[in-house]
Structure formats: C-alpha cells, structure tokens
Amino acid sequence: MTTRVLTGIKPSGVPHIGNFVGAIRPAVVASRTPGVESFFFLADLHSLINTQDPERVRRSTLEIAASWLAAGLEPDKVWFYRQSDIPEISELTWLLTCVAGKGILNRAHAYKAAVDKNTADHQDADAGITAGLFMYPVLMAADILIFNAHQVPVGRDQVQHIEMARDFGQRFNHVYGREFFTLPEAAIDEQVATLPGLDGRKMSKSYDNTIPLSASPAELKKLIFSILTDSRAPGEPKDTEGSPLFQLYQAFATPEETAAFAQAYADGIAWGDAKQQLFERVERDIAPLRERYEALVAKPAEIEAILRDGAQRLRAQYATPLLRELRDAVGLRDLSLAPSVAKQATAKAALPVFKQYREADGRFYFKLSDAQGNVLVQSQGFDSPRDAGQLVAALKNAEVADQLQSTEIELKVAADEVLAALASLREAAAQA
Ligand code: TRP
C-alpha cells in the first residue's frame, strides 16, 4: 500500500544549516522511499498567525521554497505546494471548525501558554491573543485530512496537533456517517539531529545563534570561528563530549571522518585548526547547496510556477473532488436537486464511471464502465495509485482517438464509444 506522508513547513525567517541537517535533508531522503507518496507544503496561512509583515511572509516563503528545492526535492516526484494556493484547505477548515470541540482547542499547548503568560502578567486571559492562534490546530487538521495523510513526521511539540486532527476527522466521519477521512498518525523521529548553534545552545532563530544556509564562504568561516570553545591550549587533549564544534562536524561528516576528528581532539588539535577543519567540511556540503539556492532565489518566477503547478494538479486530483463530496455530505447542495437525493443519484448513475482498485497481486488498476456496468476500458497494473490516477486524469481529457493509444490500457469497445463516454463525463463535470 502507498503511505501518504505529509510535512508542513511554516515559512518564518531565514533557513539555517540546523533546519537543513535536522529537517530538510532527512525529509528529502525519506521522500525517495519506495511506496511513499510525499506531500511537502509551505504553510503560509499559518505564518500569518506569527507575523503581520507582508514582505516578511513573501520573502520567507520564497527562501524556504528555494531551500527545499536546493536540497534536492523533486517537484515532479513529490507533491510540493503552497497552502494558500489550495482554497479547498480554507474551506475544509470551516467544515472542521463546525465539528471541532471548543474545549479541545482551549487545551492546545500554544494557546494555553499564551493564556498562562497573560495570567502571570495579571492581564486579561485572552489579551493580545488572536482567534488565528486559537484556531491554529483546525487549519492544521485541514492540511492533513484533505489529503488523507497516513503519517505526519513532526517534532514532539506538534504531536498534540496531530491528535486533534484525528479527533476532528473522527467527529466529522461520525456526524456525517461515512469514513470521509483517514485518521493520521504522528511519526516522531527520535534520531532527528538537533544541531548546536554558535553559542552551544540548540541552533535556533530565537537564540540568534544560527548559520544561514546562504552565508557566503567568508561569512561561514567567520561564524564558525566565532563558535565558543574552552580555553585549552594547542597540544592539550580536548573533550568531544559537549563540544558544539564537534557536534557540528559530526552532523556533516561520515563516521570515518568523525573518528579521525575525535582522534585529533585527543591529540590536542588547536582550536583554530579544528575550526578550519570544520569550516572546510561544512563548506564541502554547503557549497553546491548554496549555489543552487542562490540560483533559485534569483528566479522567483520559476519557483512560483513550480508551486502553482503542484497546487493545480493536487486540486484536480484530490482537493476539488473531495470538497464536492464534503459539501454534499453537509448539505451545501444544488437547490434544484433538493430534496430529492434519489434524483441526484440517478443522474450520477446514468454516467460512465472510472473505478480504481487494487488486485491481489498488489498492483493498482482502473477501469471505465458504462452505466450498465459494461467495461469500456481496462488498465494494466501500476506500481502506485498515483500512476494509475495520472493516466485516468489524462484519459478524462482525451478528445481524439490518438490519445487512447497507450499500451497501458486495453479498449474493450470501439475507440469512438470510449470517446463518447469520456465526453459525457466532461460535460457532467462542467455542469457540476
Ligand atoms: N505546525 C507546524 C509547525 O509549526 C507547521 C504545519 C502546518 C504542519 N500545517 C502542518 C506540520 C501540517 C505538519 C502537518 O512546524
């Protein structure tokens, strides 16, 4: 079975090498695992909760998108998009808001921390807290549920949000009587490296101790030479334990390189030499990344096009059909059809249908049948539902017989009949 893995990245601030080592690089590697369908998106709607500086939102979205692409994310192999380009996410947020328990949101850590701080400062409990902060978990649930993600890799601080997404999804399923949503699981990676910053604390924007991904070689060198060390003289053995310099080295180096560096510590390497070695090792990994990053940031139109393309395809394949179903489920319906649900059902039944399914051989198939159940087109097996879905999407647009000449499908009736069936589907879609 394909596992859908979804990662949201809130664009805030300049990406640094800690983000790269701790989050970006491992996620890009994981996205290449066979049987995984990956979703990476820029949670720009979420960023509005943190900043009301429009230029900062724009700049940060661009820089974070460029970092992921520079790190090797392949937008034709994974879904890469921007949250605000999928209006169905906002629409789903409202549908979920109307089943979400307010009491659950009261208990969200981020909101509670803000209330606790106000209380400690003898302020009104909700002083300065926007409804956006309060609703954060509902928007996040919509991000996850809209694509029926199975797994969401997150840090410990986000686990509660995934549990809330499960809760809201389950409530919706229960109220509207069907398994509309898959319930997601948090995937916590204990391995994920947290990189120390220049002062030895965790590398983080909030401590102002980061090394930006885009630092020039000269800047990188200067920052690395500013790392805090103890006062041991050259020739004196140094401790690797608790040495941020060593930990940074380790995050980039192979086990062999790390062992050699540890030996140099034991042999009393001078701090200046150790810093030079660290600089050279980091620079080796970062140089190509920096080059790609700079090239990407210089062409924002290309990034814009990549993001829009991802969102457009995702909407067509998942979001738009799902929202159509959900709107109907909650009763946001075409008034001319109501209240006769039966009439709607017959209108649907008269149309040909694509059915996607999985066979005992573990492969993914689809067929197109007419209203009477006669098979018009039968596909061969595909490795992933996505491959099958892409061919279905292409067939839906097929208007001439030439477009039906794929070796992956078998026409069970004349091409003209298939084309007529496809045309009736398009017509129905246009009217919907
Ligand atoms: N809340 C996440 C963070 O601050 C970002 C995020 C938004 C997210 N939507 C998501 C993460 C959906 C995973 C899934 O890091």
Side-chain angles (χ1 to χ4, degrees):
M1 201 192 81
T2 329
T3 307
R4 286 183 297 271
V5 180
L6 180 137
T7 303
I9 310 129
K10 199 161 52 176
S12 53
V14 192
H16 56 71
I17 67 168
N19 303 134
F20 174 64
V21 172
I24 304 180
R25 195 170 57 179
V28 170
V29 170
S31 75
R32 302 196 175 120
T33 313
V36 166
E37 182 176 7
S38 296
F39 297 75
F40 292 99
F41 70 97
L42 299 152
D44 57 347
L45 295 174
H46 274 111
S47 76
L48 304 184
I49 296 166
N50 302 79
T51 174
Q52 297 180 331
D53 173 353
E55 175 48 21
R56 179 144 177 230
V57 174
R58 185 200 69 87
R59 183 81 209 160
S60 180
T61 304
L62 174 67
E63 290 176 346
I64 302 278
S67 323
W68 283 79
L69 291 168
L73 184 126
E74 298 160 284
D76 54 342
K77 300 219 177 72
V78 302
W79 295 109
F80 185 50
Y81 56 102
R82 175 171 48 189
Q83 189 184 30
S84 65
D85 280 340
I86 304 200
E88 288 84 356
I89 293 176
S90 300
E91 193 172 353
L92 177 56
T93 299
W94 183 251
L95 301 187
L96 295 173
T97 300
C98 295
V99 297
K102 177 173 176 286
I104 292 186
L105 294 172
N106 287 339
R107 292 194 284 277
H109 299 319
Y111 171 68
K112 257 178 53 187
V115 168
D116 289 350
K117 182 167 184 304
N118 279 335
T119 312
D121 296 349
H122 306 289
Q123 298 246 15
D124 178 78
D126 281 323
I129 300 178
T130 65
L133 177 70
F134 187 68
M135 296 295 295
Y136 189 111
V138 188
L139 178 57
M140 182 158 160
D143 293 333
I144 298 168
L145 296 175
I146 198 163
F147 299 122
N148 285 303
H150 298 106
Q151 281 185 18
V152 187
V154 285
R156 293 218 158 268
D157 60 321
Q158 297 289 319
V159 171
Q160 189 194 36
H161 290 150
I162 312 299
E163 277 159 12
M164 290 188 182
R166 291 174 65 87
D167 186 274
F168 305 153
Q170 203 157 25
R171 280 186 198 223
F172 192 97
N173 288 348
H174 179 72
V175 170
Y176 295 106
R178 201 144 61 75
E179 298 300 300
F180 292 97
F181 299 118
T182 302
L183 304 182
E185 309 268 354
I188 310 154
D189 191 351
E190 306 287 359
Q191 309 290 320
V192 164
T194 44
L195 218 56
L198 302 173
D199 57 359
R201 290 185 292 176
K202 174 186 171 194
M203 188 179 288
S204 163
K205 204 172 36 32
S206 36
Y207 297 145
D208 198 19
N209 64 357
T210 70
I211 301 180
L213 213 49
S214 57
S216 69
E219 282 160 352
L220 178 64
K221 187 162 181 175
K222 195 164 155 236
L223 289 170
I224 285 179
F225 274 76
S226 78
I227 293 172
L228 281 182
T229 52
D230 60 30
S231 56
R232 287 187 213 188
E236 267 185 86
K238 316 266 184 306
D239 275 336
T240 55
E241 181 114 6
S243 161
L245 193 64
F246 188 80
Q247 287 168 345
L248 279 164
Y249 189 88
Q250 192 170 23
F252 285 88
T254 64
E256 294 75 29
E257 289 168 330
T258 304
F261 201 53
Q263 187 58 50
Y265 263 55
D267 295 344
I269 187 174
W271 284 127
D273 294 339
K275 286 176 175 178
Q276 179 63 27
Q277 279 194 28
L278 172 62
F279 163 67
E280 283 166 16
R281 188 62 194 81
V282 174
E283 175 62 12
R284 178 136 61 95
D285 274 20
I286 294 296
L289 190 75
R290 177 196 299 124
E291 201 174 307
R292 286 195 295 271
Y293 176 85
E294 298 295 349
L296 284 156
V297 170
K299 290 189 202 139
E302 281 181 19
I303 297 186
E304 180 68 25
I306 289 172
L307 292 173
R308 284 196 198 192
D309 175 62
Q312 196 188 350
R313 287 183 292 121
L314 258 184
R315 292 183 71 195
Q317 193 165 326
Y318 291 114
T320 311
L322 176 67
L323 258 292
R324 196 178 296 140
E325 227 180 288
L326 297 178
R327 286 175 139 258
D328 183 67
V330 302
L332 305 175
R333 293 179 183 158
D334 180 340
L335 299 180
S336 72
L337 299 173
S340 144
V341 180
K343 186 178 156 204
Q344 201 184 2
T346 28
K348 262 190 200 151
L351 286 172
V353 277
F354 274 104
K355 284 213 177 82
Q356 288 187 234
Y357 56 98
R358 194 168 188 199
E359 286 285 8
D361 63 2
R363 296 169 67 78
F364 298 88
Y365 294 78
F366 68 81
K367 59 188 174 190
L368 174 67
S369 313
D370 69 12
Q372 287 70 45
N374 303 310
V375 178
L376 310 177
V377 175
Q378 170 65 58
S379 82
Q380 296 190 352
F382 294 88
D383 291 342
S384 79
R386 193 170 162 202
D387 294 338
Q390 276 171 352
L391 188 52
V392 169
L395 283 177
K396 283 184 177 164
N397 290 320
E399 297 200 54
V400 293
D402 277 353
Q403 291 169 315
L404 300 178
Q405 283 179 348
S406 163
T407 54
E408 288 165 320
I409 53 169
E410 191 187 341
L411 305 189
K412 299 288 195 181
V413 293
D416 280 348
E417 209 175 321
V418 176
L419 288 175
L422 294 172
S424 68
L425 274 179
R426 272 198 303 277
E427 205 173 308
Q431 279 167 11

